[in-house]
Amino acid sequence: MTDTRRVFTRTLLATAVTATSQFGFAPLANAQGGVLEEIIVTASRRAESLQDTSLIVEAMTGLQMQERGVTDMFTLAREVPSLTVGHAGPALQLQIRGVGSDAASGFTSPGLAVSKDGVYIPRVTAMSSQFFDLQRVEVLKGPQGTLYGRNATGGAINLITNGAELGEISGFATVEGGNYDKVQFDGAINIPMGENFATRLSAFVTQRDGYMSDGTAEDERWATRASFLWTPTDDIQWRFQGQYAENGGNGIGSTWVGSPDPWESIFPGVNDLLLSGAEENGLVFPDIAFPWIENAPVQGPAPTPPFPPGTNFIYGINDVKNDRGDQDLEFWDVSTTFEWDLDFATLTVLGAYQDVEQSYISQTSVLFGVGRLFGEDVPETSETTSLEVRLNGDTDNFTWVVGANFFNEEQTVYNAINQGIVQNLQLGADIETDAIGLFGELTWNLTDNLRLIGGLRYSDEEQEKTNFNRYTLSEAIACPPAIADEIINGLAVCQISGPGEDKISDDNVDWKVGVEYDVNENSMVFFSVSTGFKAGGLPAVDSSYGPEYLTAYSLGAKNIFMDGRLQLNADLFYWDYEDKQENLVGPDRQGIIGLNTVNAGESTIQGIGMDIQFAATAQDFFALNFEYLDAEYDEFSYFQGAAVTAPTTCDVTETGEIVPGPPPTGVTPELFIDCSGFPMTKAPEWTGRAAYTHTFNFGDAGELDANVSVQYVGERWLSANFLEGQEATDHTFWNAYLMYRPVNLDLSVMAYIENIGDEESYQVSLNHTQVPQFIGIVPGLPETYGVRLRYDF
């Protein structure tokens, strides 16, 4: 650790000690008025107050989500500092404090563990249709290796649905209309069916036109869910649940760096932009870009300006030429949760099956498709079976949980990268993943105020890739002329690699130790050290990548003051991140261009988080939460193929170093690339949110809540390619809400306006591999407004 970091870390620790001392021993004066709502969470696999757990958790109830307009992952990120969400087609890219993954296909896995009612969701596309009829959402920050296991390096997001309840008919219906012709409905009904059985049915549908200039970025989704509860005895509770969802429309929209309007579509005219870039800079080939490489092989004719009429860089020379993006996704799942009170402990058995079928095509700087094979739909599929068995118990001195889980996923994966004559790549494979985990966690109550926590988990994962084949169209430059053509979908193609297979396996022991101390009844200080592990994988191109590891040190405090009116939580953190799995656009070590995954060496993440909630009076509520983050790649270097493309990485910035690599291990010259010292991607230095709500009481006429909030996100790199134009500027979003509730009616009406003033923001960046100056970016929502009506019964 550098001297600067030692000073910074010691300063943070000193601040924490001072803060917790003040929080614990200098409570504010009592005052009259409203009190804050207590939130019960199950993040530790048991029910407890949010203020009683030393986990760094931000949670919202379903009612709070309604009042704040949280309807998906993007609006959730608006409420949770340091949670960033991006789109790669319909796939969500999630990061917490810079830890996560730009996973965009079946060859990659997310870096955050998202679950619904305890069932892990492995495919990021399936996360977009889960935000309806929710009881609560929990966002856990930091590695959750002990209790959550696989792919929880950066944290976990738990979605808890409203399940069926005995003894009452109840439910709600919500209808919403807004600009861009938005229409949305969701509702639910709970139906008791005798003393021991109940059913809950819920549904959600939304339709919104696209906000890009050509109509892309529309939202077209619907889902339905059924849950059942059976309690055959007082000691047994059995829940069943099933859900079906579809996503359609034309998917995300994108623009390009330098566009005068952030919502001006990359269509039409993208070819003209690429052509002008190519004419100015030349298409990048070895004799131009790599003069230090002697006799570099050129795998095909290299066109140079001026280009013949009809030259097409972004589209293909096949039937996808006119596609602007579309998506056709189907998800369904079933699960069952069996709970049995055994007196000394509670036995929980949770089994689930998930099925994903998807085909989509999206555009940033290249045409990228999933479930596509030379212009035809060949849906990509994922079938997942999981089982978890655990025992929870507690005595006067101990609270404990032990368990085991099993996970299997079978996938068929089809990806396409279309850059016309330069590259028209299609690849596919069958992938099977098996994982087991054995875990336990114990809390020891040494005294009434002091507790020790310890946890262990053993993980074993294996992934096998079979039937791997990679093709390109014969007319594309990347097609080696010596390879005989084949015919697929009536098109002449050549096989670049395959058929092939590969297998990897990783195992690891994660652990956690911690201490909690109750300074008084309403204040707790804590310190913990925990680890997280994410297994290696088999990417679409190149060889396998290794696992990543994270060790997190956290010092914090949780406090309630002023008779329940003021909540002040804070944590200081230092994370040591090893071998982060980073995604890059560019050639692999064989010189084949695609989305590559490399291990980024050493990284350091440190900072402070603060969450303040204050009910000043019964009518006035204030909220402030923010995070400061210092995240940097200490060591980040790798090799890149250099046969037919320029280095698509940090060479255009001052700190990047690119030098010729050692003699090639294969047929492709290589470059050694060193991006050490760069800030971590998707890790803004400052993020925060402030909100104020005032309640106007009109007596018999009802109540009106007026809310204004502001969200700030600092500048950040969107891609580990670190190309000029891939660093997003900071942005500030202002939002306003009015909610009216009449007396004696279970009715509420909300009017809202979000992103007042059309502040631009960007989520994802992707560079063109042959014209690196051309960078596509995905903008966030412009100003939106609407009215939402809800009736409860």
Side-chain angles (χ1 to χ4, degrees):
M1 185 187 301
T2 65
D3 292 339
T4 301
R5 289 213 175 104
R6 287 193 184 95
V7 171
F8 177 76
T9 304
R10 290 170 181 170
T11 302
L12 286 181
L13 294 175
T15 303
V17 173
T18 303
T20 53
S21 299
Q22 292 174 345
F23 298 159
F25 299 105
L28 302 178
N30 294 335
Q32 302 299 316
V35 297
L36 300 172
E37 177 184 1
E38 181 182 35
I39 299 179
I40 303 299
V41 297
T42 52
S44 298
R45 304 305 194 198
R46 64 178 184 271
E48 58 187 337
S49 170
L50 178 67
Q51 294 301 107
D52 291 339
T53 175
S54 56
L55 291 173
I56 310 303
V57 185
E58 294 198 35
M60 283 184 289
T61 65
L63 178 60
Q64 290 173 331
M65 294 171 67
Q66 176 197 353
E67 293 173 344
R68 301 179 192 179
V70 176
T71 58
D72 54 27
M73 281 290 186
F74 291 94
T75 47
L76 177 64
R78 187 184 61 206
E79 304 293 315
V80 180
S82 78
L83 170 63
T84 64
V85 181
H87 253 162
L92 296 179
Q93 299 177 335
L94 308 175
Q95 282 88 11
I96 290 179
R97 293 176 174 174
V99 180
S101 173
D102 287 340
S105 76
F107 290 101
T108 53
S109 297
L112 304 182
V114 178
S115 64
K116 179 183 67 176
D117 295 327
V119 177
Y120 170 66
I121 302 173
R123 291 300 109 208
V124 289
T125 49
M127 300 173 188
S128 57
S129 297
Q130 308 292 344
F131 277 75
F132 69 102
D133 196 23
L134 292 181
Q135 179 189 108
R136 183 176 69 256
V137 60
E138 304 169 352
V139 180
L140 287 69
K141 300 181 179 182
Q144 307 298 322
T146 302
L147 293 181
Y148 289 79
R150 72 184 316 267
N151 300 342
T153 323
I157 299 176
N158 298 334
L159 307 177
I160 296 90
T161 67
N162 286 310
E165 297 295 335
L166 299 176
E168 65 174 19
I169 296 178
S170 61
F172 72 94
T174 301
V175 62
E176 177 182 338
N179 61 336
Y180 296 101
D181 291 330
K182 179 178 182 179
V183 177
Q184 181 170 303
F185 167 83
D186 66 299
I189 182 169
N190 187 86
I191 307 171
M193 305 175 73
E195 294 183 357
N196 301 322
F197 196 84
T199 300
R200 186 179 184 91
L201 305 175
S202 56
F204 160 86
V205 60
T206 186
Q207 175 68 59
R208 191 208 65 224
D209 291 345
Y211 52 82
M212 300 300 294
S213 61
D214 66 342
T216 52
E218 67 181 353
D219 190 5
E220 185 179 306
R221 292 173 289 144
W222 72 272
T224 183
R225 182 186 300 141
S227 64
F228 308 92
L229 171 63
W230 180 39
T231 56
T233 71
D234 292 339
D235 299 328
I236 294 177
Q237 178 175 280
W238 207 334
R239 292 188 179 273
F240 306 85
Q241 185 184 104
Q243 178 174 317
Y244 179 82
E246 289 188 8
N247 290 9
N250 56 28
I252 68 167
S254 56
T255 186
W256 66 95
V257 170
S259 170
D261 180 349
W263 296 284
E264 181 179 357
S265 177
I266 205 168
F267 298 99
V270 65
N271 281 296
D272 293 336
L273 289 167
L274 286 173
L275 183 61
S276 63
E279 289 176 341
E280 180 180 350
N281 301 286
L283 273 178
V284 179
F285 283 93
D287 57 337
I288 300 173
F290 307 110
W292 55 79
I293 300 178
E294 296 181 359
N295 301 318
V298 177
Q299 297 188 9
T304 56
F307 301 101
T311 300
N312 197 316
F313 296 93
I314 196 67
Y315 297 122
I317 38 186
N318 62 9
D319 293 337
V320 301
K321 180 175 180 178
N322 295 316
D323 282 350
R324 295 188 178 186
D326 61 55
Q327 58 186 32
D328 183 7
L329 301 93
E330 296 182 16
F331 321 103
W332 65 272
D333 62 72
V334 291
S335 65
T336 179
T337 304
F338 175 82
E339 292 186 356
W340 186 7
D341 186 351
L342 303 173
D343 291 333
F344 76 96
T346 298
L347 171 67
T348 301
V349 181
L350 175 58
Y353 174 83
Q354 302 172 66
D355 186 280
V356 176
E357 187 172 299
Q358 57 185 3
S359 175
Y360 66 86
I361 188 166
S362 62
Q363 172 63 66
T364 47
S365 65
V366 299
L367 206 62
F368 176 73
V370 165
R372 315 286 288 200
L373 188 61
F374 291 113
E376 291 192 5
D377 287 345
V378 184
E380 184 174 276
T381 63
S382 165
E383 297 181 44
T384 302
T385 305
S386 60
L387 175 67
E388 180 166 298
V389 181
R390 63 177 183 267
L391 276 174
N392 291 71
D394 61 81
T395 65
D396 290 340
N397 296 321
F398 298 99
T399 301
W400 53 271
V401 57
V402 295
N405 59 26
F406 309 88
F407 174 89
N408 171 267
E409 182 181 22
E410 296 183 1
Q411 301 179 80
T412 58
V413 181
Y414 296 98
N415 287 181
I417 300 175
N418 191 339
Q419 297 181 95
I421 62 171
V422 173
Q423 176 179 253
N424 207 307
L425 193 66
Q426 320 282 313
L427 52 92
D430 296 326
I431 301 175
E432 182 171 4
T433 302
D434 288 292
I436 63 170
L438 305 174
F439 60 91
E441 189 167 291
L442 173 72
T443 300
W444 181 13
N445 303 310
L446 290 174
T447 70
D448 291 341
N449 297 333
L450 181 64
R451 296 172 295 280
L452 296 180
I453 301 172
L456 283 174
R457 184 188 193 95
Y458 171 75
S459 300
D460 187 290
E461 296 196 25
E462 181 177 280
Q463 186 175 100
E464 184 175 13
K465 180 172 68 175
T466 58
N467 299 321
F468 176 68
N469 291 282
R470 187 161 36 188
Y471 300 90
T472 189
L473 284 182
S474 297
E475 295 90 340
I477 295 168
C479 184
I483 299 180
D485 288 345
E486 299 180 30
I487 302 297
I488 296 180
N489 294 344
L491 299 172
V493 304
C494 64
Q495 186 166 3
I496 298 176
S497 58
E501 59 183 48
D502 202 355
K503 178 187 290 188
I504 61 167
S505 61
D506 293 304
D507 62 351
N508 189 64
V509 175
D510 282 308
W511 53 270
K512 176 181 179 179
V513 294
V515 57
E516 300 174 347
Y517 179 70
D518 296 330
V519 179
N520 56 46
E521 184 178 356
N522 296 313
S523 295
M524 174 180 69
V525 295
F526 58 87
F527 175 76
S528 67
V529 185
S530 57
T531 68
F533 155 79
K534 182 182 175 185
L538 299 168
V541 293
D542 217 340
S543 56
S544 63
Y545 52 87
E548 64 178 32
Y549 307 90
L550 194 149
T551 303
Y553 304 82
S554 298
L555 173 65
K558 294 191 174 183
N559 307 272
I560 296 290
F561 301 124
M562 299 179 66
D563 291 336
R565 290 166 47 203
L566 175 64
Q567 172 185 301
L568 201 162
N569 297 339
D571 75 298
L572 295 163
F573 53 90
Y574 180 89
W575 294 359
D576 184 9
Y577 200 1
E578 183 179 347
D579 292 331
K580 180 180 189 296
Q581 295 168 5
E582 194 63 81
N583 294 298
L584 302 158
V585 175
D588 64 10
R589 298 185 71 171
Q590 299 177 21
I592 299 173
I593 300 164
L595 183 63
N596 304 318
T597 303
V598 299
N599 291 104
E602 298 287 340
S603 305
T604 301
I605 305 170
Q606 52 193 345
I608 182 171
M610 186 78 70
D611 184 7
I612 303 171
Q613 313 282 331
F614 181 38
T617 70
Q619 291 79 39
D620 297 281
F621 173 77
F622 297 87
L624 173 65
N625 48 358
F626 67 87
E627 290 207 358
Y628 170 76
L629 194 63
D630 176 25
E632 182 178 296
Y633 298 103
D634 301 317
E635 299 176 4
F636 184 9
S637 60
Y638 57 95
F639 288 97
Q640 185 180 81
V644 294
T645 186
T648 52
T649 187
C650 55
D651 62 313
V652 298
T653 56
E654 294 181 359
T655 57
E657 179 187 1
I658 296 180
V659 298
T665 56
V667 298
T668 302
E670 293 180 345
L671 298 179
F672 175 75
I673 298 174
D674 189 351
C675 297
S676 303
F678 274 85
M680 292 184 64
T681 58
K682 312 291 181 65
E685 188 175 33
W686 287 99
T687 55
R689 173 186 175 273
Y692 168 65
T693 302
H694 180 77
T695 300
F696 296 90
N697 192 324
F698 301 120
D700 292 339
E703 290 183 339
L704 177 70
D705 288 341
N707 172 276
V708 61
S709 66
V710 59
Q711 177 205 23
Y712 174 79
V713 177
E715 61 184 23
R716 64 236 174 259
W717 284 100
L718 299 178
S719 168
N721 288 94
F722 299 114
L723 292 172
E724 189 174 2
Q726 291 185 321
E727 187 174 19
T729 58
D730 61 348
H731 64 263
T732 303
F733 284 173
W734 288 90
N735 314 291
Y737 308 88
L738 290 174
M739 177 180 284
Y740 172 67
R741 295 182 297 271
V743 175
N744 299 324
L745 287 176
D746 294 322
L747 186 72
S748 64
V749 181
M750 173 188 280
Y752 65 88
I753 179 169
E754 298 174 344
N755 190 13
I756 300 171
D758 270 341
E759 178 80 1
E760 64 184 74
S761 65
Y762 298 102
Q763 310 164 355
V764 175
S765 170
L766 191 69
N767 55 283
H768 194 278
T769 57
Q770 303 301 326
V771 186
Q773 299 81 4
F774 185 79
I775 297 172
I777 47 178
V778 178
L781 279 167
E783 181 179 276
T784 56
Y785 51 84
V787 176
R788 185 179 301 131
L789 175 67
R790 175 175 171 127
Y791 174 67
D792 292 271
F793 59 89

